[in-house]
Amino acid sequence: MDNYPRLFIKAGLIYALLGAALGVTMAIDPSLSVRLRFVHIHINLLGFMAMMIAGVAFHVLPRFSARKLPWPEGMKYQFILQNVGLLGMVALYAAGGWRGGIAHAVFVFFAILAGMAMAIMFYNLYFVLTAPEETPKPEKITGEMKVADVLDHFPQALALFLESGFKSLANPAARQTFAKVVSIEKACDKHGVSTTAFLEKLNSELFKEDSSAPIPTEGSGPGKEIKHGEMCQADTWVGSLIKAYPATKKVFESNYGEGCFSCPGQAFETVEQTASMHNIDPEKILAEINAEIDRDIKRP
Ligand code: HEM
Ligand code: HEM
């Protein structure tokens, strides 16, 4: 996780503790709420809630929309402005003087800082969501085109990508994320596939008179289901495996880390694809999974 999303979350958690402490203080002595109510509310809402939301959103939204934040350094300015603005406001409020003279002017200054932080957050999060512009259907596939653009216009090309070695594209989440930023040239480089030969194959298949290649869907892509009682194979879908044998989930968690099941695409990846994505020998994972299955089947 990048530095700033993490900082926002950590700061948010600290404000949660502070907010709770203030709440408990007011509960014990309600007369204190004249000064502490504003502090409690803003520490909880502008500190805890807003910072947690911003931190998680900065981490997640660019990945889901496959776009960069429009102003990544803005996270730093927002972090500083939001903390200084919030702490300044609550300190003045708690000190009892925010409605008169110079103290009011200083309060307004901190309020403006906090307001600016919110405006930066708005800018980054609103515009990271705006959909990419539609591109016209190309007449020829070239190396600079993004993988996802080709798949958008020619869904039948997925089969060609998969059989040429771009196995990770079987995963819908991969098609929604890195396929949008990687060009065909880069993808070929990374997978050791000849760009010229692959482009030739794509162009000759996609632009031939009768292009009737079947359109693969999540259910008909490479891979197969598994039922309770069967053993797992390299091309078994992870989603189906977990359904048939929930105990095998821990094999994935121990090898790939706990976060892997938060990925929306894992259900339609095969065991082999997940292993190759994580640079782990598929045979090792399969052996561990089948040992779990064996234990499950033999269990009285
Ligand atoms: C340990 C946790 C908490 C305690 C003990 C607590 C306690 C209190 C108390 C005693 C009040 C009344 C203050 C008054 O006399 O006016 C209050 C108000 C408030 N609290 Fe909390 N609180 C807690 C957590 C939270 C959290 C997590 C949030 C928001 C995320 C929150 C938001 C508010 C708001 C918005 C008000 C004002 C409600 C109104 O306008 O009537 N509180 N809290
Ligand atoms: C940009 C930053 C913000 C500034 C400058 C600001 C400023 C203020 C001010 C001056 C008041 C009136 C206080 C009084 O009359 O005693 C107030 C009240 C309040 N604000 Fe904010 N606020 C900000 C952000 C927020 C956010 C993000 C939330 C909630 C998500 C929030 C929730 C509230 C609530 C619930 C009250 C009513 C408090 C009460 O009933 O006593 N504020 N705010």
Side-chain angles (χ1 to χ4, degrees):
M1 204 188 274
D2 303 334
N3 207 15
Y4 277 95
R6 198 193 296 262
L7 269 179
F8 271 105
I9 293 173
K10 283 185 178 169
L13 290 170
I14 294 170
Y15 283 123
L17 281 184
L18 208 58
L22 286 158
V24 174
T25 311
M26 289 189 299
I28 294 168
D29 182 354
S31 72
L32 290 174
S33 68
V34 180
R35 287 192 179 186
L36 293 189
R37 180 188 164 90
F38 174 91
V39 182
H40 169 75
I41 290 172
H42 290 84
I43 291 279
N44 267 326
L45 294 169
L46 188 55
F48 169 42
M49 301 303 267
M51 290 207 188
M52 289 294 284
I53 291 168
V56 173
F58 288 144
H59 180 69
V60 169
L61 294 186
R63 284 163 177 79
F64 274 91
S65 58
R67 284 178 146 241
K68 277 189 161 173
L69 288 181
W71 187 31
E73 310 86 79
M75 282 192 292
K76 176 168 120 191
Y77 299 117
Q78 181 193 335
F79 188 77
I80 297 169
L81 290 170
Q82 196 164 340
N83 280 296
V84 174
L86 170 61
L87 293 173
M89 281 199 301
V90 298
L92 267 178
Y93 202 101
W98 76 283
R99 275 209 176 128
I102 188 101
H104 184 235
V106 180
F107 184 88
V108 170
F109 168 76
F110 286 120
I112 290 171
L113 297 190
M116 282 162 67
M118 293 291 99
I120 298 172
M121 179 179 82
F122 171 87
Y123 177 77
N124 262 334
L125 294 180
Y126 191 90
F127 291 106
V128 80
L129 289 176
T130 27
E133 281 174 27
E134 290 276 321
T135 46
K137 192 166 184 150
E139 286 169 8
K140 183 174 185 276
I141 311 292
T142 58
E144 317 85 76
M145 287 178 67
K146 299 284 185 273
V147 173
D149 284 345
V150 176
L151 292 174
D152 277 352
H153 292 298
F154 305 99
Q156 70 271 36
L158 182 56
L160 300 173
F161 275 97
L162 295 177
E163 69 188 37
S164 302
F166 302 96
K167 297 236 165 58
S168 49
L169 288 177
N171 174 358
R175 302 201 291 274
Q176 286 302 314
T177 53
F178 60 78
K180 291 190 176 172
V181 284
V182 174
S183 66
I184 298 212
E185 236 162 20
K186 273 225 182 90
C188 285
D189 264 8
K190 199 163 166 268
H191 289 263
V193 174
S194 152
T195 314
T196 337
F198 183 58
L199 284 174
E200 223 162 72
K201 179 173 168 180
L202 274 180
N203 281 310
S204 70
E205 285 290 323
L206 297 177
F207 297 104
K208 72 180 178 199
E209 286 296 295
D210 170 29
S211 150
S212 57
I215 301 177
T217 57
E218 285 171 354
S220 67
K224 58 174 190 259
E225 301 210 343
I226 181 171
K227 291 196 186 65
H228 195 90
E230 295 174 351
M231 298 309 273
C232 178
Q233 282 167 356
D235 60 348
T236 300
W237 278 315
V238 174
S240 175
L241 174 69
I242 304 293
K243 226 185 264 166
Y245 299 105
T248 56
K249 201 169 174 178
K250 59 175 176 278
V251 175
F252 295 97
E253 285 172 346
S254 69
N255 282 283
Y256 307 156
E258 305 228 328
C260 72
F261 287 97
S262 61
C263 164
Q266 44 79 20
F268 287 102
E269 274 173 17
T270 65
V271 171
E272 190 177 27
Q273 285 165 351
T274 63
S276 72
M277 266 184 187
H278 290 268
N279 276 332
I280 292 179
D281 182 4
E283 292 301 321
K284 173 179 178 275
I285 302 284
L286 261 181
E288 288 182 31
I289 291 170
N290 281 323
E292 265 316 316
I293 292 181
D294 207 38
R295 226 168 292 154
D296 192 278
I297 294 174
K298 288 194 184 133
R299 204 168 287 149

